[in-house]
Amino acid sequence: MGLHLKPIDVVEDISKENFEKKYLQARKPVILKNMARRWPAYKKWTLDYMRNTVRDVEVPLYDSSKADPAAPINAPVHKMKFSEYIDLIEREPTDLRIFLFDPIKYAPRLLQDYVSPKDLMGGFLDKYPSMFFGGRGSVTFLHFDIDMAHIFHTHFSGRKHILLFDYKWKERLYKLPYTTYSIEDYDISNPDFRKFPALDGVEGIECFLEHGDTLFMPMGWWHWMKYLEGSFSLSLRAWDKSWAVKAHSLWNLTIQRKFDNLMKAYFKERYMNWKENLAIKRANRFLKAGLPR
């Protein structure tokens, strides 16, 4: 009984041809050890450097509590000056996280510290980098990214524990309808298989990121992340060449998200209960049928 977790592939360097064949086309995650070590950020980006560079911008914070049935997804629970937040995660454990933050808006010189890996693939959204900060013990709940982009996720100033699951496992992960995340009543790092039996036998990948490591996460892969120290990550996003994937992204970002927010606003807990019940029914049906194969 349990999750079937495999270690991730790790490479020091890789050619464009091998990257495309083994990982991009195969939709397979990999850790790139040396990519960010060539960036100025590898030596410069510490918590102290980020505090002194971004300074007192007020940032929204998120915690690990279950989502409010009536609130739009990604609604913050608190706000704080960025410098004070860095003080907090250096000083003590906290479940407060900064999510999808664009520091370059406030500190454009950060653009000089990293390079999009265009030597490996195209399609990068250079104007939309995102950064994520977390305190020791904070957790990013299990989800996949709504825009269906390929992600190069580079970690700095600490360690991070990550679990990854192919998109094909979404029903067995109890995906909630009209969302990109699962039921929040289980801990994927230590699941209760009696209460959530469909998780038994789910296949995934486990990895740990250290300072300067870059995780390539193909579009649609589910991910759960835990900060083992106060630290932060930079995500660079790239579009897939497929127009079907781009259409899926557009659907998620517009029609699906608006519909879900509208239903939350009007029906609140009734709507959330319906979604959770349907997620459980689908998970049990896929488990019984032995899917996915």
Side-chain angles (χ1 to χ4, degrees):
M1 176 178 285
L3 301 174
H4 296 168
L5 299 176
K6 297 180 180 179
I8 195 169
D9 284 5
V10 178
V11 300
E12 299 293 321
D13 297 288
I14 192 169
S15 68
K16 180 177 181 179
E17 293 73 22
N18 283 337
F19 175 76
E20 286 185 348
K21 181 179 179 180
K22 293 182 178 180
Y23 301 107
L24 180 58
Q25 295 175 6
R27 302 286 193 261
K28 184 180 180 182
V30 61
I31 288 178
L32 309 172
K33 296 293 288 187
N34 286 340
M35 191 184 89
R37 295 183 183 187
R38 302 183 182 96
W39 299 349
Y42 180 69
K43 293 183 177 179
K44 292 168 66 175
W45 281 20
T46 63
L47 289 172
D48 189 53
Y49 179 80
M50 299 306 294
R51 173 173 46 222
N52 292 333
T53 303
V54 182
R55 304 185 69 83
D56 290 336
V57 174
E58 188 174 69
V59 292
L61 301 177
Y62 305 82
D63 64 12
S64 57
S65 60
K66 188 172 180 178
D68 181 348
I73 190 172
N74 299 336
V77 298
H78 190 54
K79 291 185 178 180
M80 183 182 292
K81 289 182 179 179
F82 180 79
S83 59
E84 294 176 354
Y85 175 76
I86 298 301
D87 292 342
L88 173 65
I89 66 174
E90 282 187 319
R91 185 175 65 245
E92 61 192 59
T94 176
D95 69 343
L96 292 175
R97 295 175 291 111
I98 296 177
F99 175 74
L100 285 176
F101 177 52
D102 180 7
I104 294 165
K105 178 179 178 181
Y106 310 100
R109 64 176 171 155
L110 293 173
L111 277 170
Q112 303 170 16
D113 292 342
Y114 67 89
V115 180
S116 295
K118 296 178 182 178
D119 56 329
L120 296 181
M121 65 174 292
F124 281 92
L125 306 172
D126 290 335
K127 294 182 179 179
Y128 303 98
S130 298
M131 295 194 74
F132 304 82
F133 293 75
R136 178 159 56 93
S138 62
V139 171
T140 303
F141 61 82
L142 185 63
H143 70 287
F144 65 95
D145 287 356
I146 193 169
D147 61 355
M148 303 297 286
H150 300 294
I151 310 296
F152 288 81
H153 188 79
T154 303
H155 198 59
F156 296 93
S157 203
R159 298 176 69 235
K160 199 180 225 182
H161 181 199
I162 301 178
L163 301 180
L164 301 163
F165 303 93
D166 193 297
Y167 186 73
K168 69 180 182 179
W169 291 100
K170 60 185 184 296
E171 285 85 6
R172 291 277 295 273
L173 293 171
Y174 296 87
K175 176 186 177 297
L176 291 168
Y178 306 112
T179 71
T180 59
Y181 57 97
S182 64
I183 287 177
E184 297 175 71
D185 294 327
Y186 68 82
D187 175 4
I188 191 61
S189 67
N190 186 29
D192 183 342
F193 297 109
R194 289 174 296 181
K195 189 174 180 180
F196 298 98
L199 296 175
D200 188 13
V202 168
E203 298 172 2
I205 292 174
E206 182 175 33
C207 64
F208 294 84
L209 294 184
E210 299 182 347
H211 177 81
D213 287 348
T214 300
L215 167 65
F216 168 68
M217 189 163 50
M219 47 78 59
W221 272 73
W222 289 73
H223 43 285
W224 169 94
M225 300 183 175
K226 183 174 183 177
Y227 292 82
L228 301 181
E229 288 98 24
S231 48
F232 61 100
S233 303
L234 169 73
S235 279
L236 303 176
R237 318 177 81 78
W239 285 116
D240 190 80
K241 292 181 179 179
S242 167
W243 284 104
V245 172
K246 292 174 182 175
H248 191 173
S249 170
L250 186 62
W251 170 270
N252 287 348
L253 289 165
T254 56
I255 298 172
Q256 177 175 274
R257 173 175 275 184
K258 288 182 179 179
F259 174 80
D260 192 54
N261 285 338
L262 182 66
M263 294 295 285
K264 283 180 179 179
Y266 277 99
F267 298 104
K268 299 181 174 62
E269 289 189 12
R270 283 178 56 198
Y271 176 58
M272 181 59 74
N273 290 338
W274 172 81
K275 290 203 297 183
E276 291 184 352
N277 289 333
L278 184 56
I280 291 170
K281 289 179 182 178
R282 286 177 175 173
N284 290 337
R285 185 170 70 246
F286 270 70
L287 174 63
K288 185 176 181 180
L291 298 173
R293 295 190 175 92

